[in-house]
Amino acid sequence: MRMKDKVAIVTASTRGIGAAIVEAFAKEGAKVYMAVRNLDAGKERADALNAKGYQVACVYNDATKKETYQSMVAEVIQKEGRVDVLVNNFGTSNPKKDLDIKHTEYEEYIRTIDANLASVFLASQAVIPHMAKNGGGSIVNISSIGGLVPDISQIAYGTSKAAINYLTKLIAVQTARDNIRCNAVLPGMTATDAVQQNLSENFKEFFLKHTPIRRMGTPEDIANTVLYFACDDSAYTTGQIVDVSGGFGLPTPIYGDMIAMKDRR
């Protein structure tokens, strides 16, 4: 019960990584608010978790309506009187338009960066005064391995995630005296429904060739690291950028080819 009596907000949490984080927190005793745009889908998910004996509720948040970051936090404060943990899980990209420097329209570039940075900046800005008043808290930002390792595409997404990594460190430094910690978790290729449906088997096989742990991550892999940063196990840890990517980007760039040659011997 590492999250017993803690109140948490997790954005974009009806499925995938967000849903896994909600369940991990709830299992550890937290009262978890799923911050979602589709309240019907959120309530369905919350009801299923509450049937297991957990404490899960929904609160409205729409990333396209920036005022809902303030209202999201205000609603939870009104109901619970505190927020101990905020997980900024929302992220967006349009792979068909978010291409390379030569082919990405500036408007698409800025739209993606604005949405992804706003999701961290505005939610954190809204919750920090309440965390400070209540003696502290933990903010966990879901970034991406794409914010560390340059890609041949998705220039806006990569830029936004790199900025979130640095913003994480800034928040950590600027709120430490209020006993607020801020860390970032960077997933690699994770077996969410979106990844399974939108990426070809050839691409997944190619990607995993360069991943020392030769499998995709699971949403639970990501959630377990987020749980560590959210609970008091990491009470003396802040400003950390931790990738959960099976070692992608760690070895020599010719790692995949070297392994393939070795396997053929």
Side-chain angles (χ1 to χ4, degrees):
M1 301 296 283
R2 286 177 288 174
M3 298 282 286
K4 190 175 187 300
D5 298 327
K6 292 187 182 293
V7 176
I9 299 174
V10 183
T11 64
S13 49
T14 55
R15 58 184 181 176
I17 291 171
I21 294 168
V22 169
E23 186 159 4
F25 284 7
K27 282 181 179 178
E28 293 286 339
K31 173 69 177 289
V32 190
Y33 279 84
M34 301 169 57
V36 297
R37 181 172 60 179
N38 186 332
L39 287 172
D40 290 336
K43 187 176 185 306
E44 183 177 346
R45 175 68 179 163
D47 288 345
L49 291 171
N50 290 333
K52 298 180 181 182
Y54 301 146
Q55 299 181 79
V56 180
C58 292
V59 62
Y60 180 67
N61 172 244
D62 182 345
T64 67
K65 300 175 180 177
K66 294 178 180 176
E67 68 275 9
T68 65
Y69 289 106
Q70 280 284 351
S71 62
M72 166 189 81
V73 172
E75 182 175 338
V76 177
I77 291 294
Q78 182 182 20
K79 292 179 177 178
E80 304 294 337
R82 62 187 301 121
V83 176
D84 302 291
V85 177
L86 169 68
V87 180
N88 291 312
N89 177 60
F90 173 83
T92 186
S93 175
N94 183 344
K96 294 181 179 179
K97 294 184 177 181
D98 186 6
L99 306 170
D100 60 15
I101 184 65
K102 294 184 290 184
H103 301 102
T104 302
E105 294 183 0
Y106 181 71
E107 290 74 16
E108 179 65 21
Y109 182 73
I110 293 300
R111 185 199 69 79
T112 301
I113 292 173
D114 179 60
N116 289 343
L117 281 177
S119 71
V120 173
F121 182 91
L122 293 176
S124 299
Q125 189 177 61
V127 83
I128 283 168
H130 301 287
M131 286 183 171
K133 182 179 179 181
N134 288 321
S138 175
I139 298 171
V140 187
N141 298 324
I142 307 302
S143 180
S144 169
I145 191 66
L148 289 182
V149 181
D151 201 348
I152 61 171
S153 187
Q154 289 195 286
I155 187 170
Y157 184 78
T159 301
S160 70
K161 292 301 185 177
I164 285 170
N165 294 343
Y166 191 67
L167 180 57
T168 297
K169 293 176 179 287
L170 288 170
I171 294 171
V173 169
Q174 294 174 7
T175 63
R177 291 194 176 188
D178 292 317
N179 196 33
I180 297 170
R181 298 179 295 109
C182 186
N183 297 282
V185 175
L186 285 58
M189 182 182 284
T190 306
T192 62
D193 289 343
V195 167
Q196 299 285 31
Q197 293 168 8
N198 295 321
L199 297 181
S200 70
E201 291 303 316
N202 285 340
F203 179 84
K204 286 185 278 190
E205 181 180 348
F206 180 78
F207 192 96
L208 293 177
K209 184 175 79 169
H210 297 278
T211 303
I213 298 179
R214 294 290 296 273
R215 66 171 177 86
M216 283 193 284
T218 66
E220 290 72 24
D221 288 327
I222 312 305
N224 288 335
T225 306
V226 175
L227 175 62
Y228 166 73
F229 283 131
C231 75
D232 293 337
D233 288 354
S234 60
Y236 199 55
T237 304
T238 194
Q240 297 306 297
I241 311 298
V242 176
D243 69 271
V244 185
S245 63
F248 181 81
L250 181 64
T252 170
I254 60 173
Y255 169 84
D257 295 327
M258 292 173 65
I259 291 296
M261 290 174 60
K262 184 177 180 180
D263 290 344
R264 286 196 294 267
R265 290 174 184 170

